[in-house]
Amino acid sequence: MKRTFLFMGLGVAGLTAAGLIWTGFNPAGGIAKSIGDRAAVKAPNRTTMAAPAVSVIKAEMADFAETVLVTGSIVPREEIMVAPEIEGFRVLELNADEGQAVTKGDVLARVEQETLDAQLAQNTAQLARSNAAIAQAHSGIAQAQARLQESKAQFDRAKPLKQSGYLSESTFDQRESAARTAEAQLVSARDGLKLAESDKGVVEAQRRELAFRRERTEIRAPADGIVSRRNARIGSMATAIGDPMFRLISNGEFELDAEVPETRIGKLKIGQLARIEVAGVGEVTGTLRLVSPEVDKISRLGRVRIFVGKNPALKLGLFGRGNIETRKSRGLAVPASAILYSEQSASLQIVIDGKVQTRRIETGLISGGLVEVKSGIAEGETIVARAGSFLRDGDTVRTVAPDPKLSEATK
């Protein structure tokens, strides 16, 4: 018993000296109080946490333009192929070079003429011969008419003499035959005149052809334009087969021959305005002139032609990127980053009295990073510039100055 009491006494005394037993049983101090104090120090005060900061922007009015992007190359509005109208003659002279402006009727080149000149001289002799044959035929007709009149007179005188018995039968027959012969000779003389006139017509037709060929030895510009390419060389034979002698840009007018995706070609209409950025030249304006009715089955691209007009700075083949304006409007503008999209609708997060409110909106055109809002907000309302799923309706936020890039985007 003494040993037991001694062991318990030592245990209690040791625990008491350590300050653990009695303080543990004292609800007003000791371990419980210390633990509670330390927990109170470590735990933050939730009521004093700062609200999250969000960047906001005001909904303002802006102009919108829907555009369709096209890319292509600069080509002539109309290209004129100048080829010789006569072949087999050697080129003797070239009067136009690439890049030169020409007007309708200017002589671009000349080919040899000596052969045609010789043929024209021969034709002149044939024409003179035909004129002589016609004159001879007229003379033959006059002679035949005189013989016919004389023969008819003799035959008419023979008729009463035969009836009275003073003229023999054989003499009467001779006079009748002479009259018929003279009549046939007149018909032959008239046919000879027709033949001579026909021969003259053939000679004159040949002369007109030779004159045409002689005139075409001068290759002239069929219209005003700019020489884009010259394939002719002095000493070569003029031929219409193969490349033309000259290529002209009609009236010096250019176009952008461009391609557009099939999903966007339906928005294009003739007459729409286009702004084109041409490599090495800068921005030029044009008008949509042609929309091809065909879409390529492989590339799924359609072709369009944008008329640019005269511009000395443009060169054939330059690359161009254009934006064709398809629609215009004016409405409330917000940055694209401010819109939250879901399967059903689009929405914006509005800040009212420091609290977030989510609203469904109806969007319109998109232009330059801005989205048109047709309904759902009013002008001047405060919009969360960079919306995100971490904000919920009713959240308290602290607004900060907008990003300069966003504020500039709405101007």
Side-chain angles (χ1 to χ4, degrees):
M1 294 293 290
K2 289 182 180 179
R3 290 179 181 176
T4 304
F5 178 79
L6 178 60
F7 174 78
M8 293 180 61
L10 289 173
V12 172
L15 292 174
T16 305
L20 297 176
I21 296 299
W22 299 111
T23 55
F25 285 96
N26 185 358
I31 293 175
K33 184 177 182 181
S34 300
I35 294 174
D37 291 343
R38 286 196 297 270
V41 171
K42 291 181 179 179
N45 188 352
R46 299 184 181 275
T47 60
T48 60
M49 181 181 293
V54 294
S55 178
V56 295
I57 194 169
K58 298 290 185 180
E60 298 179 356
M61 298 296 291
D63 293 321
F64 290 86
E66 183 184 58
T67 60
V68 174
L69 176 65
V70 297
T71 57
S73 301
I74 297 296
V75 298
R77 164 70 173 79
E78 291 290 346
E79 189 172 29
I80 302 173
M81 309 294 183
V82 181
E85 297 184 58
I86 56 174
E87 296 187 278
F89 297 92
R90 195 173 303 279
V91 179
L92 300 179
E93 183 180 337
L94 295 173
N95 299 326
D97 209 343
E98 294 178 358
Q100 180 178 337
V102 297
T103 57
K104 183 178 180 179
D106 285 351
V107 178
L108 305 180
R110 287 188 175 89
V111 299
E112 61 178 342
Q113 306 170 344
E114 288 76 6
T115 303
L116 292 175
D117 289 339
Q119 292 176 352
L120 277 171
Q122 183 180 1
N123 181 267
T124 300
Q126 292 175 345
L127 184 61
R129 184 176 179 178
S130 297
N131 288 330
I134 291 174
Q136 187 176 3
H138 280 294
S139 177
I141 290 174
Q143 293 176 2
Q145 287 177 338
R147 286 194 295 270
L148 178 60
Q149 289 177 357
E150 182 180 358
S151 299
K152 281 187 175 182
Q154 290 178 358
F155 181 61
D156 290 340
R157 288 194 297 270
K159 289 178 180 179
L161 293 176
K162 179 185 177 183
Q163 291 177 357
S164 61
Y166 289 103
L167 188 67
S168 64
E169 188 71 25
S170 60
T171 302
F172 179 80
D173 291 340
Q174 289 176 356
R175 292 186 179 182
E176 183 179 9
S177 176
R180 291 179 177 177
T181 300
E183 188 174 355
Q185 289 176 345
L186 178 60
V187 173
S188 177
R190 287 173 176 170
D191 290 341
L193 176 62
K194 292 179 180 178
L195 180 61
E197 290 175 343
S198 177
D199 290 342
K200 181 181 179 181
V202 172
V203 173
E204 287 178 338
Q206 292 174 347
R207 187 175 186 82
R208 286 193 297 270
E209 181 183 358
L210 289 171
F212 173 84
R213 291 166 61 83
R214 173 64 173 76
E215 184 180 354
R216 294 310 186 272
T217 57
E218 293 183 339
I219 292 87
R220 298 177 179 272
D224 297 349
I226 298 174
V227 179
S228 61
R229 186 176 302 176
R230 188 185 77 177
N231 298 314
R233 296 291 182 269
I234 294 178
S236 62
M237 301 300 291
T239 176
I241 300 174
D243 292 332
M245 296 180 69
F246 298 90
R247 290 175 182 262
L248 302 183
I249 302 171
S250 179
N251 297 317
E253 296 176 339
F254 295 92
E255 285 187 335
L256 180 69
D257 185 6
E259 294 180 328
V260 59
E262 62 178 351
T263 56
R264 306 287 284 170
I265 197 170
K267 296 180 178 293
L268 301 182
K269 296 180 181 179
I270 294 174
Q272 289 174 336
L273 181 67
R275 290 180 173 83
I276 306 167
E277 189 70 26
V278 181
V281 177
E283 185 178 290
V284 297
T285 59
T287 305
L288 186 61
R289 183 186 68 85
L290 181 145
V291 179
S292 174
E294 181 180 2
V295 173
D296 188 87
K297 296 179 181 178
I298 299 175
S299 66
R300 314 311 303 174
L301 297 173
R303 289 182 58 252
V304 297
R305 286 282 191 118
I306 302 173
F307 178 72
V308 178
K310 296 181 180 180
N311 190 331
L314 295 178
K315 308 296 179 186
L316 295 184
L318 287 177
F319 175 78
R321 179 185 287 106
N323 285 294
I324 303 174
E325 194 173 274
T326 56
R327 283 195 299 165
K328 297 178 71 175
S329 68
R330 182 170 177 81
L332 289 175
V334 298
S337 61
I339 301 179
L340 292 170
Y341 292 96
S342 64
E343 295 182 359
Q344 293 80 16
S345 63
S347 60
L348 285 173
Q349 292 178 324
I350 317 297
V351 178
I352 301 177
D353 296 331
K355 293 186 179 296
V356 176
Q357 182 183 110
T358 303
R359 291 188 193 170
R360 288 189 178 183
I361 60 169
E362 180 185 356
T363 59
L365 300 183
I366 301 174
S367 178
L370 297 178
V371 179
E372 179 188 12
V373 180
K374 293 185 174 181
S375 63
I377 62 171
E379 184 177 359
E381 286 196 284
T382 304
I383 312 296
V384 177
R386 297 185 184 276
S389 58
F390 61 88
L391 292 177
R392 296 289 185 269
D393 276 358
D395 285 355
T396 301
V397 295
R398 179 167 47 90
T399 61
V400 298
D403 186 340
K405 294 182 180 179
L406 294 175
S407 60
E408 290 173 4
T410 58
K411 292 181 180 179

